[in-house]
Amino acid sequence: MSRHRTHALRKRLLGVGHGVRGALRDLLSQEFSHSTGHVTAILNGCLFAPSLLAFWFVNGVLDFSTAIAVGAVATPAGLQIRLLAYLLVVPAFLLTRIAVHLIHPVHRKQVLSGSCPSVRLMSLDWFSVGILTTGLPLAIQNVGPWVGMNAVFLVGVFLAPRLLPTARRNHVKFLALVLGGVVFLYASYGGIVPWLPNPATVLGPVATAALGDGTTRWLFRVVNSIVVGPLLVALFGIAMNRILTRPELTDIPVVRHALPRRDPDAVVVTSAAFGTAFYLLVVTAATGHLIVVP
């Protein structure tokens, strides 16, 4: 009798084991299916995507190289804080996006059922824009080179090509982009190259126009205030989102690959505002100083 019970118990345990293995197999199959599954949802970008790591490194190198070149980072301490914020930007973005999805009643139901919401509410491109945009008042203190560069862009990319045959437009646009960059670099740094003529004698006010220290400090406080800064950066993001995705630029073969795609204004505003607030809180944690209002 005991042998029969032992055999029955063993058979029952084997059945339970087969059932558990089958349930685990079905669970893993469901989790990694192409259309549903929490793991797939996470890996495919609903909450996280491996491509964010590439963005983290590549855009970090490009953004900070540009920021240093244009003077948006004035001191080593400022650079360290911005680097710290950039290291934290992806985790902060992911947590913010997760929170937004889970707060939204429809999206919460989709995520918890293992599928990704089809609507994109936030963009890492615009979330990270606040880290460097808050330093723009420092970069545009020497406003002359910026005016000269953008004047070349306006004429050479947006106005003059309208008067030219279609076949020649892209050549003129590309030349204008290169010339605008040369004007900016020459006006900003040409004075330290001994064998070049002084930029002030060649470009005049373009090389010498500058904002006063008081104006620069006021602009810096405005953009870096927790009340006004996120709104201003969001508006700046909308402007850049529309300018950089205009056909005058996207029609240039080489340039179009470096330009962002146009996002809905709601995505730009939400991402830029949250990203700017995140950066200002990092500054507060690092320095103990928070600008509430300008």
Side-chain angles (χ1 to χ4, degrees):
M1 186 68 177
S2 60
R3 181 179 301 176
H4 178 71
R5 289 181 177 177
T6 302
H7 178 73
L9 178 61
R10 182 181 302 172
K11 187 175 181 180
R12 183 178 299 174
L13 291 175
L14 288 174
V16 171
H18 285 301
V20 171
R21 286 197 297 271
L24 287 174
R25 183 174 60 252
D26 292 341
L27 176 63
L28 290 175
S29 176
Q30 179 185 5
E31 286 300 307
F32 284 96
S33 68
H34 293 289
S35 58
T36 62
H38 299 84
V39 176
T40 300
I42 292 172
L43 294 179
N44 281 349
C46 178
L47 304 180
F48 175 73
S51 60
L52 295 183
L53 298 178
F55 172 93
W56 207 356
F57 176 75
V58 175
N59 279 45
V61 172
L62 295 176
D63 288 349
F64 278 93
S65 299
T66 303
I68 294 171
V70 303
V73 180
T75 65
L79 178 61
Q80 291 173 3
I81 292 176
R82 281 178 164 76
L83 285 174
L84 173 63
Y86 213 87
L87 290 175
L88 298 174
V89 70
V90 168
F93 172 76
L94 293 174
L95 291 175
T96 304
R97 188 164 64 174
I98 290 170
V100 170
H101 280 314
L102 294 181
I103 290 172
H104 194 287
V106 177
H107 293 181
R108 179 173 64 248
K109 187 179 296 185
Q110 289 178 305
V111 170
L112 295 180
S113 67
S115 62
C116 285
S118 58
V119 177
R120 192 164 68 107
L121 298 178
M122 300 190 70
S123 165
L124 182 57
D125 287 301
W126 299 112
F127 189 89
S128 64
V129 75
I131 296 177
L132 297 180
T133 302
T134 49
L136 278 182
L138 302 176
I140 64 173
Q141 182 173 18
N142 294 322
V143 70
W146 290 91
V147 172
M149 178 180 67
N150 285 287
V152 173
F153 290 164
L154 176 63
V155 174
V157 176
F158 295 96
L159 299 180
R162 298 173 183 269
L163 307 175
L164 299 174
T166 304
R168 298 180 56 187
R169 289 178 182 176
N170 283 339
H171 297 88
V172 173
K173 292 178 185 178
F174 187 78
L175 179 62
L177 292 176
V178 174
L179 181 61
V182 170
V183 168
F184 178 84
L185 293 175
Y186 176 55
S188 300
Y189 307 107
I192 63 176
V193 181
W195 47 271
L196 287 177
N198 192 303
T201 62
V202 177
L203 301 175
V206 169
T208 57
L211 300 176
D213 291 339
T215 302
T216 303
R217 284 195 296 269
W218 180 80
L219 287 174
F220 186 82
R221 286 184 61 85
V222 170
V223 178
N224 286 267
S225 65
I226 194 68
V227 173
V228 182
L231 175 61
L232 290 180
V233 174
L235 295 175
F236 174 79
I238 290 176
M240 291 297 99
N241 181 50
R242 296 187 178 186
I243 292 173
L244 295 178
T245 54
R246 286 187 61 85
E248 289 90 346
L249 288 171
T250 56
D251 287 345
I252 306 175
V254 177
V255 176
R256 70 163 64 104
H257 300 292
L259 297 175
R261 66 179 183 180
R262 176 168 291 192
D263 289 307
D265 287 345
V267 172
V268 176
V269 169
T270 303
S271 303
F274 271 109
T276 305
F278 154 74
Y279 169 71
L280 296 178
L281 292 177
V282 171
V283 173
T284 302
T287 65
H289 180 61
L290 174 66
I291 302 174
V292 179
V293 293

